[in-house]
Amino acid sequence: MPRSIFLLLAFSLVLNLGLAQEKVPTVPLKKLNGETLSSDSIQNSGKPIVLSFWATWCKPCIRELNAIHDWYDQWQEETGVKLVAISIDDSRNSSRVRPFIASQGWDYQVYLDENQALKRGLNVNNIPHTFLLNGQGEVVWQHTGYMPGDEAHLYEAIQKVAAGKSLD
Amino acid sequence: MLRSSFFFALLGLPLVPVLAQNSTPELGQLSGNFQLNSQIYLRDSLIDPLGEAYPDERLRAAGFLNLTYTRGNFRAGIRYENYQNNIIGLPEGFQGQGIPYRYARYTKDGLDVTAGNFYEQFGSGLVFRAYEERGLGLDNALDGVRLIYDGAPGITFKGLIGKQRLYFGMGDGIVRGADMEVNLNELTGNYGGTNVIIGGSFVSRFQNAQSPIYNLPENVANGGLRFNLITPHLNWFVEGAYKSQDPNSSNSYIFKPGKALYSNLSYTRGSLGLILGYKYYDNFLYRSQREGQFTELLINYLPPLAELHTYTLPALYSYNVQANGETGFQAEVSYRFEDGSFLGGKYGTLVNLNFSHSKALDKDFTYRYTDSLGTDSTISGTDGYTTGWPGFGDITYARDFNVEVKTKLSSRVKGTFSYYNFAYNRSALLDGVVDDRITPSTDIKIVHVNAFVADVLWRISMQNSIRFEGQLMLTEQDRGSWAMLLAEYSMAPHWFVALQNSYNFGNPNPDLRVHYPILSLGYTQGSTKFQFTYGRQQQGVFCVGGICRVVPASNGFSLLITSNF
């Protein structure tokens, strides 16, 4: 069995050379009004998108979304960025998401990923986990965990992506 | 070996035409993630006199690697897992290495086909939920085939068949299921801000029966109906389910059918949020194998409807769903007092109140004598008990009241202050005493707790911050009172260091009034994180989603690496 793993890894490395940028996989999500939507309909007419995975019980996630909230109007004005918050709360807590957002005063687009299909599809280990997508919907930057101040680094990346610059 | 060759075949399949044509601008994408958790254990006879958390290996490590390949509508993935041996506190059944998870999936014209392993959920999970919680060592993925069709507007149909994962093998039972959900507004094209969604699900499991004692049903069915009304301010969800006779080792082999009712109502207006929840679970544990234990082979999920305690000390007492029978409710109010108002202060204040109560069902047990003297009795083989609706019993499993106040103390300092008052049935929730044994017994251990938590974040500069946590948990019962202090310094975007100490100052045994210091150091680079921990971990219950496991006290070093590519 271990041999097959090495083979597979070697195989994947070879493949990697010609591989495209990661895109958001197509999985169904739920809007807060109960309608379903497909994750590939998350768009921002060519402007960058921040995809942030969170849950009502995850304190660093809430700290991160609150920190971004303080700057969000300015970020939107300067770069046209849109933040989409993906809640991975399961049926235990999913009914709390709408009242929770209202009390926080967030004006993000929020979708439910109740059985974590998108979380799994984007290979998220732990939350908070934040992705930055460019205008073509490709993942160009990502970050796991949250420390106060991380939002400034996220914004540097957003500015570069909005200006069509490379992040390297 | 068979499995991996199966996967190679799948992985190779979509590439063949591309490589053959030799014109390949688009080879698809490869992505994945990796986690490794290793621990070096130290002998600590004070907190662990029997050496339960001191394994012979001294060092243990567990980890996994996920690899996902995507090309257009096609997707395939595998997960290699390795437990040498599993970390103390996680299920010992995970031992060794292998590829227990591999799948291929494509979507076309509204049809979504998966072959191999998959996770899925119907409604709130009362009837079916295959999911994973790595922190608990829970993974009940199905290995089989799933079809999802949502080509017609407003209608989603799901059908599946397979066997469930049990460590590196499969459970005995075959699980078959179907679910249909209809959004009436999408169906009729009538959008007016209000959505009505109805759904129904049916699942059946088959397992051979060869019991010499009981005539066990081989097919056990579980069916549910749900209704959801959503308006701009209101969201009302209700789901009811019925399960046919399912004698199994977790319900003491009783022949009573199961019933479940779950409802949630939330109201949102401005910054005001109100939530009311109700649950009624009567003999509703559902596994794909009668003999399954703990979190093994669970087919369904029962929402616990109790606040999830996330701070260290209150989390020592976390709610654990009693699937054999419980009922209860939860109420929650949240409101934000705006900036500049009397209660809001300069920066606004958020207040959240939560109350929940979970009780045993009022059961009248039916006993059967197993000896000629009429002294030894059991409920096995009978209908178990009779109960009615609403059926609130005398025994409280948990009653919980808590308040949380969040406010900004200055432009750089934020605080969250919480108070908890709860009663926790240790016998049922921690010691696992089932209710047919609790009811005749007078010795039920209830822990009454008052706890306070202050969590303050001070942003020294844009990149530097310090967070303090002070926790005090007062109780006369169980292990007595605790205090805890934490200081965490972080320098974005890479470093953090944290020092915490929990002190069990109120332990009735003076020898166990000990300190549990823990030092953690973390380094993050993009989506890769290293975390090093050294210290003494108290014995506790670790819960996710109302399912818990008991973690023994331990002492040692640990290193956690997670990364994503």
Side-chain angles (χ1 to χ4, degrees):
Chain A
M1 195 64 97
R3 229 184 83 204
S4 59
I5 293 304
F6 285 117
L7 273 171
L8 192 67
L9 279 175
F11 182 51
S12 60
L13 274 176
V14 173
L15 265 178
N16 224 340
L17 302 173
L19 288 172
Q21 285 273 32
E22 187 181 5
K23 284 199 170 184
V24 176
T26 307
V27 295
L29 295 171
K30 251 194 181 140
K31 294 186 198 172
L32 295 180
N33 68 4
E35 289 164 13
T36 44
L37 91 160
S38 172
S39 55
D40 56 17
S41 63
I42 298 176
Q43 279 170 6
N44 189 23
S45 46
K47 303 258 171 59
I49 296 173
V50 174
L51 211 59
S52 183
F53 283 83
W54 71 289
T56 54
W57 44 263
C58 165
K59 301 207 184 291
C61 304
I62 295 158
R63 261 180 237 131
E64 176 174 37
L65 290 170
N66 274 328
I68 295 175
H69 180 66
D70 290 344
W71 299 98
Y72 193 47
D73 288 344
Q74 189 188 330
W75 287 14
Q76 280 186 303
E77 231 166 76
E78 291 175 9
T79 62
V81 69
K82 178 165 91 174
L83 191 144
V84 179
I86 307 286
S87 150
I88 63 158
D89 282 287
D90 63 18
S91 54
R92 171 183 201 159
N93 284 317
S94 56
S95 62
R96 303 176 68 190
V97 171
R98 201 157 69 148
F100 188 89
I101 295 161
S103 66
Q104 297 288 339
W106 295 342
D107 41 9
Y108 306 132
Q109 252 178 31
V110 180
Y111 300 129
L112 303 175
D113 183 23
E114 268 196 325
N115 212 27
Q116 309 192 351
L118 187 60
K119 175 179 178 250
R120 209 171 289 118
L122 280 166
N123 302 299
V124 172
N125 271 325
N126 298 302
I127 55 167
H129 194 116
T130 302
F131 294 89
L132 176 60
L133 314 181
N134 65 13
Q136 289 74 51
E138 295 164 344
V139 175
V140 290
W141 184 93
Q142 56 177 305
H143 192 268
T144 182
Y146 172 73
M147 286 184 252
D150 277 345
E151 65 277 11
H153 298 272
L154 168 63
Y155 192 53
E156 277 172 30
I158 295 171
Q159 284 174 309
K160 282 187 188 164
V161 170
K165 286 183 200 156
S166 152
L167 285 177
D168 303 324
Chain B
M1 208 62 224
L2 221 149
R3 276 199 196 160
S4 53
S5 35
F6 164 78
F7 177 73
F8 275 113
L10 288 176
L11 191 72
L13 211 63
L15 294 173
V16 172
V18 183
L19 297 172
Q21 285 163 18
N22 202 18
S23 57
T24 61
E26 178 77 27
L27 271 175
Q29 314 154 31
L30 203 61
S31 62
N33 61 4
F34 170 76
Q35 178 172 309
L36 180 71
N37 186 0
S38 59
Q39 291 198 14
I40 298 172
Y41 299 89
L42 302 175
R43 186 80 181 94
D44 188 334
S45 51
L46 193 60
I47 55 167
D48 179 25
L50 299 174
E52 286 167 276
Y54 185 61
D56 297 339
E57 300 95 323
R58 312 287 195 264
L59 181 150
R60 287 191 178 191
F64 61 83
L65 175 91
N66 266 304
L67 200 57
T68 309
Y69 170 76
T70 314
R71 182 171 178 268
N73 295 329
F74 177 84
R75 196 171 169 84
I78 60 162
R79 181 166 63 235
Y80 171 75
E81 297 181 14
N82 195 325
Y83 305 88
Q84 310 292 4
N85 283 317
N86 209 359
I87 300 301
I88 295 287
L90 283 164
E92 293 277 329
F94 290 104
Q95 219 177 73
Q97 62 288 316
I99 302 184
Y101 179 81
R102 73 278 179 277
Y103 71 93
R105 177 178 186 173
Y106 76 90
T107 41
K108 198 164 192 331
D109 309 326
L111 182 68
D112 178 342
V113 179
T114 307
N117 299 92
F118 56 87
Y119 299 98
E120 182 55 78
Q121 176 173 338
F122 296 164
S124 63
L126 288 186
V127 175
F128 183 82
R129 185 182 183 202
Y131 68 116
E132 59 171 335
E133 268 320 334
R134 275 180 217 133
L136 294 176
L138 186 161
D139 185 348
N140 59 2
L142 241 65
D143 188 353
V145 177
R146 173 184 61 183
L147 301 177
I148 302 176
Y149 183 70
D150 60 0
I155 299 178
T156 306
F157 175 83
K158 295 173 183 173
L160 53 86
I161 185 162
K163 284 191 165 190
Q164 273 185 306
R165 175 176 184 187
L166 178 65
Y167 306 118
F168 278 104
M170 296 285 143
D172 282 347
I174 303 174
V175 179
R176 293 81 45 105
D179 182 79
M180 190 155 117
E181 188 166 283
V182 180
N183 183 321
L184 295 179
N185 304 73
E186 283 177 39
L187 185 73
T188 57
N190 169 25
Y191 301 93
T194 294
N195 270 302
V196 176
I197 301 160
I198 53 173
S201 26
F202 181 80
V203 169
S204 157
R205 82 111 226 267
F206 170 81
Q207 186 193 2
N208 273 316
Q210 284 148 345
S211 165
I213 315 169
Y214 305 121
N215 181 16
L216 298 172
E218 295 192 317
N219 289 293
V220 174
N222 188 349
L225 288 172
R226 58 185 188 270
F227 171 85
N228 195 2
L229 169 78
I230 307 172
T231 75
H233 296 293
L234 208 70
N235 185 339
W236 181 43
F237 176 87
V238 58
E239 181 167 13
Y242 181 89
K243 181 166 68 94
S244 67
Q245 288 185 341
D246 180 20
N248 60 62
S249 65
S250 307
N251 71 3
S252 314
Y253 287 93
I254 62 168
F255 283 71
K256 191 180 196 300
K259 295 185 196 84
L261 183 64
Y262 171 75
S263 182
N264 224 311
L265 175 73
S266 75
Y267 175 81
T268 313
R269 177 150 251 167
S271 70
L272 172 74
L274 291 172
I275 306 168
L276 282 174
Y278 170 76
K279 64 179 170 183
Y280 179 90
Y281 306 140
D282 175 14
N283 187 24
F284 223 69
L285 188 114
Y286 190 36
R287 296 186 204 264
S288 60
Q289 187 175 320
R290 288 173 209 102
E291 302 79 14
Q293 294 179 29
F294 314 114
T295 54
E296 294 167 0
L297 301 165
L298 291 166
I299 302 177
N300 67 347
Y301 170 78
L302 302 175
L305 212 62
E307 172 96 343
L308 182 73
H309 296 163
T310 48
Y311 285 106
T312 314
L313 295 183
L316 291 175
Y317 298 107
S318 284
Y319 194 65
N320 204 346
V321 172
Q322 302 299 298
N324 284 339
E326 65 164 41
T327 180
F329 61 89
Q330 182 180 34
E332 187 168 329
V333 184
S334 55
Y335 187 73
R336 183 189 185 85
F337 294 95
E338 286 308 320
D339 321 4
S341 67
F342 176 65
L343 286 167
K346 195 176 167 191
Y347 302 97
T349 298
L350 209 155
V351 179
N352 188 86
L353 299 169
N354 180 290
F355 179 77
S356 64
H357 199 167
S358 300
K359 299 193 94 173
L361 288 180
D362 184 17
K363 291 180 177 176
D364 200 354
F365 289 97
T366 314
Y367 294 100
R368 175 171 70 85
Y369 294 102
T370 53
D371 63 346
S372 52
L373 297 171
T375 49
D376 213 9
S377 66
T378 174
I379 60 168
S380 305
T382 71
D383 275 355
Y385 56 89
T386 52
T387 186
W389 188 83
F392 287 100
D394 294 330
I395 300 165
T396 284
Y397 285 144
R399 180 180 45 67
D400 187 350
F401 170 73
N402 59 71
V403 191
E404 187 184 82
V405 177
K406 266 186 191 175
T407 188
K408 243 180 174 177
L409 303 168
S410 79
S411 62
R412 286 164 178 260
V413 182
K414 275 184 190 177
T416 304
F417 306 92
S418 321
Y419 167 70
Y420 300 78
N421 178 299
F422 57 84
Y424 183 87
N425 187 327
R426 202 205 131 94
S427 306
L429 304 176
L430 266 184
D431 304 336
V433 182
V434 292
D435 57 0
D436 61 295
R437 256 149 266 160
I438 291 182
T439 309
S441 137
T442 48
D443 184 29
I444 305 170
K445 292 183 201 134
I446 305 273
V447 186
H448 295 274
V449 175
N450 277 293
F452 306 85
V453 177
D455 179 345
V456 177
L457 174 70
W458 174 33
R459 292 192 69 155
I460 305 165
S461 69
M462 196 59 209
Q463 306 297 315
N464 297 270
S465 60
I466 299 187
R467 198 170 66 83
F468 297 100
E469 260 180 41
Q471 304 185 22
L472 181 66
M473 184 166 80
L474 303 172
T475 176
E476 306 270 302
Q477 292 85 28
D478 199 24
R479 285 186 285 166
S481 300
W482 289 77
M484 187 260 205
L485 279 173
L486 172 145
E488 180 183 278
Y489 180 74
S490 53
M491 279 178 291
H494 297 305
W495 293 96
F496 88 86
V497 56
L499 184 63
Q500 72 173 70
N501 184 25
S502 304
Y503 177 35
N504 190 190
F505 67 92
N507 200 303
N509 177 352
D511 291 340
L512 290 176
R513 287 174 194 162
V514 291
H515 293 270
Y516 295 81
I518 297 174
L519 173 75
S520 332
L521 182 69
Y523 177 79
T524 308
Q525 170 71 52
S527 62
T528 300
K529 188 172 179 176
F530 300 87
Q531 187 167 333
F532 170 81
T533 310
Y534 169 60
R536 205 183 236 175
Q537 194 73 49
Q538 67 254 48
Q539 176 212 323
V541 189
F542 182 77
C543 302
V544 183
I547 294 183
C548 306
R549 65 181 168 82
V550 178
V551 181
S554 65
N555 192 336
F557 301 89
S558 80
L559 176 67
L560 177 71
I561 304 170
T562 64
S563 121
N564 168 312
F565 57 95

